[in-house]
Amino acid sequence: MQNTIKPLSGQVALVTGGSRGIGKQIAKDLAELGADIAINYNNSKQAALLVKNEITNNNGKAEIYQCNVGNNSAVNEMMNTIQKQMGNINILINNAGISRERTVRNMSLDEWEEVINTNLNSVFYCSQSVIPQMIENKKGTIINIASLLGQIGNIGLANYSASKGGVLAFTRGLALELARYNITVNSICPGWIKTDMTDRIPEQLKEGILSSIPLKKFGEPEDISEMVSYLILKGSYITGTQIHINGGLYM
Ligand code: NAP
């Protein structure tokens, strides 16, 4: 069989939360482009293994790494293991995220802290840990999967909005710090995308959301993943920005 060189051959990409939803699609698409994929997951080992198998059955290379990315020492340990097993990470996709719906009035400290740790602190932990490797490589790409809800408010999701708004602000600061090393840092702000996260929304509420979206449809994980691929392959002059992929819901 002929061996074709793919555009990301020889590059290592870490996708946090690569076991399901948007992260799973990103992992598969980057593997298709030739990158070796480190698939991070927290609880869903079987789902992560399925993604790995799909990639390896397609002649790609992937490994799975269990780690709660909201825990700094666990992140550092995972990064060391990946570096030993796969080499320096060139591409970091900070995708892992959760939502815990509750009005601020009724929100427990746990519901606040779990969301901030998983969605925001993780982005700091993973980025900080990977920076020395990218500087050594003299290039790198960090893409943060933020959210439309980091740009607008939503009742019952103030913790989530705060975490994603923090990611957007962090992206700008980090992009400025790393530009001199040829490392780009960007955020993508998905609107409502069909995954387990949005499957949980009650049908009646979903109808209301749908009618508010100008393009009158939910997005697909592919809509986000294709932008990730574009930024990696073609976005060498794009840094510090936030890209809206929301069906026109926020402009
Ligand atoms: P999802 O289907 O619920 O998948 C979430 C992924 O994150 C899973 O792979 C999960 O792994 C992982 N994860 C959660 N907590 C983790 C932790 N502490 N450590 C490591 N991995 C963890 O969600 P999704 O819809 O694909 O969302 C992906 C990203 O897009 C999130 O950051 C989310 O906020 C953002 N987003 C989604 C939408 C949407 O409409 N779906 C809209 C805007 C932004 P385990 O199953 O192993 O725990």
Side-chain angles (χ1 to χ4, degrees), residues 16-24 40-45 47-48 66-71 94-99 114 117-119 122 145-149 160 164 188-198 200-201 218 221 224:
T16 70
S19 53
R20 297 187 286 114
I22 294 170
K24 171 183 173 178
N40 157 257
Y41 68 98
N42 190 22
N43 297 310
S44 311
K45 184 171 185 183
Q66 193 286 327
C67 167
N68 171 5
V69 290
N71 177 321
N94 284 311
N95 163 80
I98 55 167
S99 60
E114 198 187 350
N117 276 335
T118 309
N119 297 5
S122 66
I145 308 301
S147 174
L148 161 75
L149 298 185
Y160 185 85
K164 297 299 189 176
I188 294 177
C189 297
W192 300 95
I193 308 296
K194 281 189 223 157
T195 66
D196 295 343
M197 189 178 268
T198 43
R200 292 202 315 262
I201 301 171
F218 286 86
I224 309 307

Side-chain angles (χ1 to χ4, degrees), residues 71-110:
N71 177 321
N72 195 22
S73 54
V75 165
N76 287 329
E77 208 176 301
M78 172 177 71
M79 292 294 185
N80 286 336
T81 311
I82 296 173
Q83 196 179 19
K84 276 192 202 119
Q85 294 181 349
M86 303 184 82
N88 277 358
I89 293 167
N90 313 92
I91 298 163
L92 168 64
I93 314 296
N94 284 311
N95 163 80
I98 55 167
S99 60
R100 297 287 181 264
E101 296 82 1
R102 192 83 62 198
T103 58
V104 172
R105 195 173 176 196
N106 296 314
M107 192 177 289
S108 68
L109 192 56
D110 272 358

Side-chain angles (χ1 to χ4, degrees), residues 18 25 28-29 36 63 66 77 83 97 106 167 193 207 211 218:
Q25 190 63 45
K28 291 197 301 179
D29 287 353
D36 298 345
E63 294 299 337
Q66 193 286 327
E77 208 176 301
Q83 196 179 19
N106 296 314
V167 168
I193 308 296
E207 282 168 28
S211 67
F218 286 86

Side-chain angles (χ1 to χ4, degrees), residues 24 30 45 49 103 105 118 124 146 155 157 166 181 213 221 224 232 244 248:
K24 171 183 173 178
L30 295 185
K45 184 171 185 183
L49 276 173
T103 58
R105 195 173 176 196
T118 309
F124 164 65
I155 290 173
L157 285 165
Y181 302 110
I213 302 172
I224 309 307
I232 295 168
H244 307 207

